[in-house]
Amino acid sequence: MRLYLVIIWSLLTLPSCLYAQDERDSIYQSEIIGKLIKDHFLQHHLSYPKNFGEVELNYQGTSGDLRLAQEAYSQRNINFYAIGSNELGKFQISGDFLFNKKLTDSLSFGQRNDMEPWNPYSYYASKAGNYESQLYRSNFTLSYQLGKILRPFMQINYQYLWTTGSVDPRFDNKVFGIQYRPGLQVNVKNSSVALAAIIGNGRESQAISYKNKNYSQSLQYPDRIHYLSLGYGNNAIKDSLNNRKYTDLWGLEVSLHQPLSTNTSLDILSSLKKNKQEFTTDQKSTNKVYHVRGIYHEDQYFGSATLFKTTPSLNQYLNLKADYIRGYDFIRDLSADLSKSNYSVNVLNSSLNYLAEQQSPKPINFLYGLDLSYFQVHRQDNAQSIDVSNANLKIQGTFGANIKTGNAELLRFQINPFYRTSISDDLKYAANSMNHYIQQVVFWDYTYYKTNLLGAKLGAEWQSRSLFKQYIFAVKADYQIEQGKIKPSEYIINHPIGNLNRQQFQIGVKLYL
């Protein structure tokens, strides 16, 4: 599979060397056009340059107590990311590839895969430990122009993640997922409509091991005891040492590109995905024959509308986006025929983003904008009588400048101050159903989501053609800090209180092909 990814990326990037760099400068030097292209690079209907490439290598560090309970206190990431598109006769191929290596410190209760944050089934322990993970992710679309109107295409999305721990209990996790999206695009003049089916599958294996037999055989070390999460509070102590999950997915995606005038266009993307995952702790099972202990269903509804307007002096970008997830399970621990549901979750992420960017021959051009983001989550665990919900609103401003320092150099600066405020929150629980997971995860996450946050992100990038005549070389750096005050509460157990913060920095190099 890794060789396959290398071949795909070679098709994306190497032919781009044959095209003039000037044709693609607007993608790299304009925040808005670059954002528009990257939002829709897998849909082959835009009229912007079809031959471009970008490679980035960066290092990222994050630390601080202002976090969710199942996040590490500190983590370090090494990322290699590449994105590109090429037109080869009547064929067009576009895609991206991400390799991420993550090292985490002081992670507890969070021994689950980050690709499925709302899934209820995973092992955990309260002992904080160190973990290492590697993620491979690739998306690409291949299309063919059939006559003047039709363009059939195939899109493939691939992910592979493994995680391992170095402190007893030692968790080992491997996740694989792939999606196929065959579709057809219809082009009429400058307009296009595309329809694609979504078919996918995946599997995950989780295992636990101990090097110290005292930890594995005794109950005298509470933080070393492993549990199997079966909801959002419901768990089983020392239930098993490994489990597997098998996933089937299907859905539908529709996209539209519609010019509204000579300088204004509208892009709409919407999709529906239905996910069914079967969970087993059967030690003798295979991927074809196994005892189903639980079934988790997750439906995802996504929609995005982008309005883009360009003039010789100003580019404007307006995007409205919404992502809704509804998940629920049926578990054999509550009913032998899988007729009773224990866990349910509803999540809404929505945003409205406006950006405006000056495009003039002057040496300095400014960027400004406003982003409103709304987040809502509601989770229930019937076995433990947990019913918790939070909603918050985040307001973020954008102020930036592009400074031309010479014929071959560009400096980009940006600052994004933001404020998050709680809109509503509600917590219901039964005192006689209390356990350590509810006290240290459910209660803390409820408190985190209802805490008002204030922060800012600073970013800078230097671009130059002086090193490579055919390419643009860039160095970038970002720093973000957010702060919030956690007040003393009956819900806070074994967590810090007071003025807390979380910081993140990133430094990297880029090559624009």
Side-chain angles (χ1 to χ4, degrees):
M1 181 54 71
R2 296 179 188 179
L3 177 61
Y4 150 81
L5 295 176
V6 171
I7 294 173
I8 292 298
W9 177 240
S10 299
L11 290 173
L12 291 172
T13 57
L14 293 181
S16 66
C17 304
L18 303 176
Y19 296 87
Q21 180 69 42
D22 293 339
E23 182 184 358
R24 303 185 299 277
D25 279 358
S26 61
I27 299 176
Y28 311 135
Q29 298 181 356
S30 167
E31 178 80 12
I32 290 179
I33 294 181
K35 184 176 180 62
L36 186 68
I37 293 294
K38 292 176 182 179
D39 284 348
H40 301 278
F41 72 97
L42 292 174
Q43 284 79 45
H44 292 172
H45 51 53
L46 295 182
S47 58
Y48 299 101
K50 294 181 173 60
N51 300 283
F52 71 91
E54 177 182 326
V55 180
E56 178 178 357
L57 178 65
N58 66 61
Y59 174 83
Q60 183 184 83
T62 307
S63 64
D65 285 313
L66 192 60
R67 56 192 168 108
L68 293 168
Q70 294 173 292
E71 288 183 329
Y73 172 81
S74 68
Q75 65 180 38
R76 293 166 291 159
N77 290 271
I78 299 174
N79 299 296
F80 173 79
Y81 180 70
I83 181 174
S85 176
N86 261 294
E87 192 172 41
L88 309 169
K90 293 186 176 182
F91 288 94
Q92 184 177 350
I93 183 171
S94 65
D96 69 347
F97 169 71
L98 170 67
F99 168 76
N100 166 262
K101 186 177 183 64
K102 182 192 300 183
L103 302 173
T104 61
D105 184 17
S106 300
L107 174 65
S108 59
F109 292 97
Q111 295 84 357
R112 55 183 174 81
N113 89 74
D114 295 332
M115 292 162 52
E116 300 172 334
W118 311 112
N119 191 298
Y121 307 132
S122 65
Y123 291 118
Y124 72 87
S126 59
K127 173 64 179 177
N130 301 330
Y131 290 85
E132 176 185 351
S133 68
Q134 288 187 8
L135 170 67
Y136 300 86
R137 190 198 71 201
S138 178
N139 308 284
F140 84 92
T141 300
L142 177 65
S143 67
Y144 178 78
Q145 185 65 48
L146 188 62
K148 296 183 178 180
I149 297 179
L150 301 180
R151 180 181 283 271
F153 63 88
M154 170 62 80
Q155 184 182 134
I156 297 180
N157 314 108
Y158 168 86
Q159 292 188 92
Y160 176 77
L161 169 71
W162 70 259
T163 305
T164 186
S166 59
V167 176
D168 286 346
R170 300 167 188 267
F171 295 88
D172 186 79
N173 190 23
K174 295 181 177 65
V175 188
F176 163 80
I178 191 165
Q179 295 180 25
Y180 303 94
R181 305 191 184 199
L184 180 65
Q185 177 181 311
V186 180
N187 305 303
V188 180
K189 295 184 179 179
N190 294 322
S191 304
S192 66
V193 177
L195 178 66
I198 304 175
I199 306 168
N201 63 79
R203 61 180 180 268
E204 176 180 0
S205 63
Q206 296 180 332
I208 300 174
S209 62
Y210 289 84
K211 284 193 173 181
N212 190 323
K213 291 184 178 180
N214 292 329
Y215 295 146
S216 64
Q217 298 175 357
S218 174
L219 297 178
Q220 296 180 357
Y221 309 92
D223 59 344
R224 304 281 185 166
I225 299 173
H226 72 270
Y227 296 80
L228 175 61
S229 173
L230 299 170
Y232 196 52
N234 185 29
N235 59 42
I237 183 172
K238 287 184 173 289
D239 179 89
S240 56
L241 290 176
N242 58 69
N243 70 65
R244 289 179 300 282
K245 305 174 189 175
Y246 300 100
T247 302
D248 289 307
L249 178 145
W250 66 270
L252 192 67
E253 182 178 89
V254 180
S255 62
L256 167 71
H257 175 72
Q258 177 62 54
L260 303 180
S261 65
T262 56
N263 62 351
T264 306
S265 63
L266 173 67
D267 287 281
I268 296 177
L269 177 64
S270 62
S271 65
L272 161 66
K273 290 193 289 186
K274 298 183 76 67
N275 184 315
K276 178 184 177 182
Q277 183 178 89
E278 294 183 340
F279 161 72
T280 180
T281 53
D282 187 352
Q283 305 304 307
K284 298 180 180 180
S285 68
T286 67
N287 60 350
K288 295 183 178 180
V289 180
Y290 53 88
H291 174 76
V292 178
R293 183 169 177 178
I295 300 176
Y296 175 64
H297 296 269
E298 187 174 281
D299 302 334
Q300 183 176 15
Y301 306 86
F302 175 81
S304 174
T306 302
L307 192 65
F308 172 65
K309 182 176 182 179
T310 181
T311 64
S313 61
L314 187 70
N315 287 333
Q316 296 182 81
Y317 171 95
L318 181 66
N319 175 260
L320 176 63
K321 185 182 300 181
D323 189 5
Y324 174 71
I325 293 175
R326 180 175 71 98
Y328 56 95
D329 81 330
F330 296 98
I331 187 167
R332 204 175 295 276
D333 294 50
L334 298 183
S335 60
D337 60 352
L338 293 170
S339 61
K340 291 185 178 180
S341 175
N342 172 59
Y343 169 80
S344 65
V345 59
N346 293 273
V347 185
L348 174 63
N349 274 293
S350 59
S351 64
L352 178 64
N353 178 226
Y354 172 77
L355 282 174
E357 182 179 43
Q358 292 180 339
Q359 294 286 105
S360 71
K362 297 179 180 179
I364 300 179
N365 287 291
F366 294 99
L367 172 76
Y368 53 90
L370 182 66
D371 187 3
L372 303 177
S373 301
Y374 177 78
F375 171 78
Q376 179 180 330
V377 58
H378 178 207
R379 282 179 278 198
Q380 291 180 297
D381 188 303
N382 296 324
Q384 299 300 117
S385 301
I386 290 292
D387 189 330
V388 57
S389 62
N390 292 93
N392 53 56
L393 177 67
K394 182 179 179 181
I395 305 172
Q396 177 174 292
T398 298
F399 307 95
N402 295 339
I403 305 172
K404 297 178 182 179
T405 59
N407 293 330
E409 294 184 349
L410 177 72
L411 281 174
R412 302 173 67 178
F413 297 97
Q414 193 171 130
I415 179 171
N416 303 98
F418 60 85
Y419 177 72
R420 193 191 76 182
T421 181
S422 175
I423 301 298
S424 65
D425 49 75
D426 185 54
L427 173 62
K428 298 175 184 177
Y429 65 96
N432 59 357
S433 297
M434 196 66 60
N435 59 40
H436 69 304
Y437 184 95
I438 295 174
Q439 292 175 326
Q440 298 188 47
V441 176
V442 177
F443 286 176
W444 175 256
D445 286 357
Y446 167 76
T447 302
Y448 171 82
Y449 282 130
K450 67 179 292 189
T451 300
N452 295 336
L453 305 182
L454 180 66
K457 180 179 180 180
L458 305 174
E461 180 176 316
W462 171 70
Q463 298 181 3
S464 175
R465 279 194 188 178
S466 58
L467 296 178
F468 306 98
K469 292 183 180 181
Q470 198 169 359
Y471 312 121
I472 297 177
F473 175 78
V475 178
K476 62 173 291 186
D478 297 307
Y479 174 76
Q480 177 176 305
I481 184 171
E482 56 185 26
Q483 295 181 321
K485 185 175 183 180
I486 304 294
K487 300 178 181 179
S489 167
E490 61 180 306
Y491 303 129
I492 300 178
I493 299 175
N494 295 333
H495 282 285
I497 60 175
N499 293 314
L500 305 182
N501 68 73
R502 192 160 179 83
Q503 304 178 59
Q504 181 181 95
F505 74 91
Q506 178 178 283
I507 185 168
V509 293
K510 285 185 174 183
L511 193 63
Y512 298 105
L513 305 177

